[in-house]
Amino acid sequence: MRSDANIAGPMTDPVPGPRTESLGEDVSRETPPPMDDTPIGRAAQLAVEALGRAGEGLPRPEQTRVMVVANQKGGVGKTTTTVNLAASLALHGARVLVVDLDPQGNASTALGVDHHSEVPSVYDVLVDSKPLSEVVQPVPDVEGLFCAPATIDLAGAEIELVSLVARESRLQRALQAYEQPLDYILIDCPPSLGLLTINAMVAGAEVLIPIQCEYYALEGLGQLLRNVDLVRGHLNPALHVSTILLTMYDGRTRLASQVADEVRNHFAGEVLRTSIPRSVRISEAPSYGQTVLTYDPGSSGALSYLEAAREMALRGVGIHYDAQNAHTGTQLDQQSTAEGIQ
């Protein structure tokens, strides 16, 4: 399950960047022609720049990073964050596995993976000890991205796990036995703190918490952090909160800025500089069985997730997120406002 390289490997470049080719003494193709100062023009230019950076490649982790995406408060963007960060990392050239632990199967739907009741799923892995390799499916349209789907059977797993041996560590054992090389494993948890979420926390080392920029953003977060401490103390000493991502950010409201400031004051070292804007495109993409990265690569949501994935990957190997990326994040906020959060 370990990556074989800790340096940037070959990367997929969905939109090749401009090549440097001299056309004359003062003209170079490295500089793109000026674009119309319109929302569409700015979006197109940002899309080329961001997707070009996706092709540049990122340092790959020395070993697989297993990240638990958790927040028992519903509607904060857990599944959306899981699938779009996973797709972004895959576009950067990483090999990524999404484990769908939510009985609703929304992550499986968003990735375009079949998950009707007859399909082998995470339920079979947890309850019947089926090898994970017999469950994992490749994600259409995104090279290097894989999914272990959830079916409705998973809804009964909470009860069935109670009587099983090593009920808290069954997912951990399945991941350890999975032999395919992976750079990242992202586990999408249900909006609760039951045995499924406990299994995820025992299996992972990092917790990624999406927090929406709304009034009740921090409500219930204390209980989640206490659960993380309990799991760390009794079941998984390596578990820690490594990343907090602000979602549904609307730069037009004072409330969003106040919530963002409050979260950054409480968790200065864990909050990503990049925030995810409230975007219609992000909401529309799952209905087409796609992530926003393939549904609308030029949208503010897609560009923000690309930047968030880049920042997360650089943090993982101890590289500081540079000012250029932070500036791009500001541009995205401005673009989101100009588009009317489209």
Side-chain angles (χ1 to χ4, degrees):
M1 194 172 66
R2 290 175 174 267
S3 297
D4 296 329
N6 60 359
I7 58 175
M11 300 291 165
T12 302
D13 190 352
V15 180
R19 300 179 182 275
T20 303
E21 182 179 338
S22 178
L23 298 177
E25 186 176 346
D26 299 321
V27 181
S28 170
R29 287 186 185 173
E30 189 173 17
T31 303
M35 304 191 72
D36 294 335
D37 187 21
T38 63
I40 294 176
R42 288 193 297 272
Q45 187 169 5
L46 284 172
V48 171
E49 291 174 358
L51 292 175
R53 280 196 298 276
E56 290 174 7
L58 289 173
R60 302 170 74 174
E62 294 183 359
Q63 60 183 13
T64 305
R65 292 179 66 182
V66 185
M67 308 187 73
V68 181
V69 185
N71 191 334
Q72 80 272 22
K73 188 176 185 300
V76 299
K78 276 193 309 299
T79 298
T80 300
T81 292
T82 302
V83 298
N84 286 299
L85 280 181
S88 299
L89 290 166
L91 287 175
H92 280 300
R95 288 177 60 85
V96 187
L97 170 64
V98 172
V99 178
D100 191 354
L101 272 190
D102 191 339
Q104 298 176 86
N106 291 336
S108 307
T109 299
L111 293 174
V113 171
D114 194 11
H115 63 105
H116 58 79
S117 58
E118 288 80 20
V119 171
S121 68
V122 174
Y123 170 85
D124 302 294
V125 173
L126 294 177
V127 177
D128 298 330
S129 300
K130 182 186 284 287
L132 191 61
S133 57
E134 298 181 15
V135 168
V136 170
Q137 302 180 37
V139 173
D141 303 327
V142 183
E143 185 178 356
L145 181 57
F146 306 88
C147 177
T151 62
I152 192 61
D153 295 335
L154 200 57
E158 293 270 7
I159 298 173
E160 294 182 59
L161 282 171
V162 170
S163 60
L164 297 181
V165 175
R167 61 189 182 187
E168 300 94 352
S169 58
R170 296 179 76 85
L171 180 60
Q172 178 192 39
R173 294 183 179 186
L175 292 178
Q176 288 175 344
Y178 188 69
E179 297 181 350
Q180 296 298 319
L182 293 168
D183 297 306
Y184 296 88
I185 298 174
L186 273 64
I187 306 174
D188 184 33
C189 294
S192 65
L193 295 175
L195 269 175
L196 291 175
T197 301
I198 298 299
N199 259 270
M201 290 185 178
V202 172
E206 304 180 47
V207 179
L208 188 160
I209 305 176
I211 297 179
Q212 75 182 117
C213 296
E214 300 290 352
Y215 182 70
Y216 292 114
L218 301 180
E219 188 172 281
L221 188 59
Q223 183 59 52
L224 174 61
L225 296 177
R226 283 191 291 274
N227 277 40
V228 171
D229 289 338
L230 285 172
V231 173
R232 180 169 56 240
H234 297 279
L235 298 167
N236 182 6
L239 187 68
H240 64 287
V241 177
S242 67
T243 308
I244 293 177
L245 178 63
L246 295 170
T247 63
M248 305 180 191
Y249 181 85
D250 185 352
R252 302 173 302 175
T253 67
R254 183 180 301 175
L255 175 62
S257 299
Q258 291 174 340
V259 171
D261 290 342
E262 186 173 354
V263 173
R264 293 185 195 281
N265 289 336
H266 277 84
F267 308 99
E270 292 82 16
V271 183
L272 296 182
R273 289 187 181 183
T274 307
S275 57
I276 308 302
R278 185 178 290 277
S279 167
V280 174
R281 298 293 180 263
I282 293 176
S283 302
E284 289 175 345
S287 65
Y288 293 89
Q290 298 182 52
T291 66
V292 72
L293 277 302
T294 55
Y295 175 68
D296 189 352
S299 66
S300 60
L303 301 176
S304 296
Y305 273 115
L306 276 171
E307 290 298 329
R310 182 177 180 82
E311 182 179 356
M312 191 174 74
L314 291 175
R315 282 188 174 196
V317 292
I319 300 177
H320 181 67
Y321 188 61
D322 60 48
Q324 179 182 355
N325 287 339
H327 176 63
T328 302
T330 302
Q331 286 181 305
L332 293 175
D333 289 341
Q334 294 171 347
Q335 176 193 341
S336 175
T337 302
E339 291 176 350
I341 60 173
Q342 293 298 308

